[in-house]
Amino acid sequence: MRRSMLFLPGNSPNILLNANFLGSDSIILDLEDAVAPTEKDSARILVRNAITSLKYTKEVIVRINPVDSPYWEKDLQQIIPVKPDMIMPTKVGTAEDVKIIADYITELEAGCGMEAGSVKLIPLIETALGVENAFHIASASPRVAAIFLGGEDYTADMRCKRTKEGTEIFYARSRMVACARAAGVDVYDTPWTDVEDYDGLVEDAKFAKSLDLQENLQFPQDIFRLLTKFSARRWKKCSMRKTFSSALKRQRQKAKALYLSAER
Amino acid sequence: MIKQKACAGTMESSDIFVEIEPAAAGAGIDLSINSVVFTQFGDAIEAVIRETLEQLEVKDAKVTVNDRGAVDCTIRARVETAVCRGKGEE
């Protein structure tokens, strides 16, 4: 059961250490956007060790870098041998992207003596091309267990503004549900990204549920509030709220700064 | 063999910052540890670092670490990253 899937930056030991205790059903250890290009090597080794040593009791998903980047093969080389439950490929635009990744995982599984097909895929669809090809992506390999919408990058690709109301992603959400149902896989909604807007999260989750999409959470405090039903007053006093908010903000600022630096 | 000076990790809580430098053949491991929990875990940290270096077949190097309360899997990860970078493998 995946009521909540929590994204966690892959190069932050303090957050990886606490991943088991943040209340989500799945954890998504991120090697992509949350990790600066100069730290990709560091993050994949840390995530590999964390999966091996910290004995996570949650479903473990690892978000890898896109197939058009120089990182995805190294990500898989480090991560597949420690047997994550799922791999989340990013910026998946076509069925061919899925096949390339699935074939490489098959090769790595064989090299490790693992059962073929044991690691599942949950492609992240976050481009106009990906949304249009969603059915083919969902049907591309028996490894695909679900598809997942990335609303932020999708709206950037569509050259429109991302709003809390989400009118601009209505088509993508609806199409993803139809394609997933047709292909017989699960489908998950784009993460809610405003750390301070709990009411917005609830409204967005209600709307997503009306479309038969599973809402996703990007921040630990949202899970605490939704799943453990913290009262607003108690929540404001919760020391973990401040800790996780500031840690995640620092991480994002740092990653963003380094991305900008690399682009120059 | 360590070819160049390299580092890995951060100074954030629960992390460890590892610096590694080449050393002459036969010089062995020159290890310097600064840790917020050195009194309690200094010996354990040293053992983990030396074991990781041995697994990675690093025999000669100068290693300086600044530990902020990292657990074993983090120490091993940061040492491995520093060694890979020092060997020019990344």
Side-chain angles (χ1 to χ4, degrees):
Chain A
M1 180 170 62
R2 299 185 198 102
R3 294 169 304 179
S4 57
M5 304 163 78
L6 180 64
F7 283 86
L8 298 167
N11 203 34
S12 297
N14 57 341
I15 293 176
L16 295 182
L17 267 176
N18 290 299
N20 236 355
F21 315 107
L22 299 174
S24 66
D25 296 318
S26 309
I27 50 173
I28 303 174
L29 308 179
D30 189 11
L31 299 178
E32 199 218 10
D33 282 352
V35 179
T38 51
E39 294 298 324
K40 297 291 187 190
D41 56 339
S42 187
R44 61 173 78 98
I45 292 172
L46 183 66
V47 166
R48 181 203 67 195
N49 282 12
I51 294 172
T52 307
S53 303
L54 299 178
K55 313 289 182 200
Y56 292 127
T57 55
K58 313 291 181 184
E59 180 182 57
V60 174
I61 302 170
V62 179
R63 181 162 89 156
I64 62 166
N65 289 283
V67 286
D68 62 357
S69 77
Y71 309 118
W72 71 276
E73 287 171 299
K74 287 180 181 172
D75 292 345
L76 291 175
Q77 286 163 15
Q78 292 289 347
I79 301 302
I80 294 301
V82 297
K83 303 177 183 176
D85 295 301
M86 300 180 98
I87 292 290
M88 176 180 277
T90 48
K91 306 247 174 8
V92 177
T94 65
E96 189 58 27
D97 291 346
V98 175
K99 287 175 185 164
I100 289 169
I101 291 163
D103 288 349
Y104 192 58
I105 292 176
T106 301
E107 202 178 300
L108 293 170
E109 282 175 338
C112 302
M114 291 165 63
E115 185 188 343
S118 55
V119 179
K120 301 298 179 193
L121 291 175
I122 177 168
L124 181 55
I125 295 176
E126 46 189 343
T127 60
L129 181 64
V131 169
E132 289 308 301
N133 286 327
F135 173 73
H136 300 294
I137 290 167
S139 317
S141 163
R143 288 184 189 274
V144 178
I147 53 176
F148 191 114
L149 175 63
E152 310 304 312
D153 284 347
Y154 170 73
T155 46
D157 193 38
M158 291 292 289
R159 301 174 202 169
C160 59
K161 189 180 174 186
R162 180 82 170 95
T163 66
K164 285 189 179 177
E165 295 72 30
T167 314
E168 68 285 352
I169 60 168
F170 177 75
Y171 167 74
R173 282 171 146 175
S174 306
R175 184 176 173 86
M176 291 274 288
V177 174
C179 292
R181 296 291 170 253
V185 303
D186 292 334
V187 58
Y188 294 94
D189 195 16
T190 187
W192 180 256
T193 56
D194 188 343
V195 66
E196 298 296 338
D197 186 2
Y198 174 69
D199 294 336
L201 166 63
V202 171
E203 285 308 307
D204 198 59
K206 280 181 186 170
F207 180 71
K209 193 167 184 300
S210 75
L211 294 176
D212 205 19
L213 272 164
Q214 173 71 50
E215 182 79 7
N216 283 290
L217 311 170
Q218 192 145 7
F219 303 104
Q221 52 268 48
D222 294 334
I223 293 174
F224 276 116
R225 295 185 74 179
L226 276 185
L227 300 184
T228 64
K229 303 187 191 311
F230 270 40
S231 72
R233 190 172 171 191
R234 192 172 164 196
W235 175 244
K236 281 178 185 170
K237 290 182 178 175
C238 177
S239 61
M240 291 186 86
R241 171 182 184 268
K242 195 175 175 186
T243 305
F244 286 117
S245 292
S246 57
L248 284 164
K249 277 178 183 170
R250 270 204 312 276
Q251 180 73 19
R252 289 174 154 219
Q253 283 163 357
K254 192 194 299 176
K256 194 174 178 183
L258 287 166
Y259 267 121
L260 288 171
S261 171
E263 281 169 7
R264 283 173 192 158
Chain B
M1 183 176 172
I2 302 301
K3 297 176 187 168
Q4 62 200 17
K5 187 174 177 179
C7 60
T10 71
M11 292 294 287
E12 292 188 14
S13 178
S14 303
D15 207 343
I16 182 170
F17 184 75
V18 178
E19 284 181 289
I20 194 161
E21 295 176 51
I29 302 296
D30 175 7
L31 177 59
S32 168
I33 300 172
N34 179 23
S35 172
V36 291
V37 290
F38 188 82
T39 308
Q40 297 86 354
F41 298 108
D43 291 345
I45 294 166
E46 180 172 349
V48 170
I49 293 170
R50 288 191 182 276
E51 186 187 312
T52 309
L53 290 170
E54 195 177 325
Q55 285 167 353
L56 297 168
E57 298 177 345
V58 177
K59 293 183 174 64
D60 307 303
K62 183 183 178 192
V63 181
T64 308
V65 303
N66 205 325
D67 170 57
R68 305 286 292 169
V71 296
D72 284 10
C73 67
T74 303
I75 298 172
R76 290 180 197 280
R78 298 318 195 190
V79 170
E80 182 177 339
T81 304
V83 167
C84 289
R85 289 173 176 177
K87 287 180 175 177
E89 292 174 356
E90 281 295 335

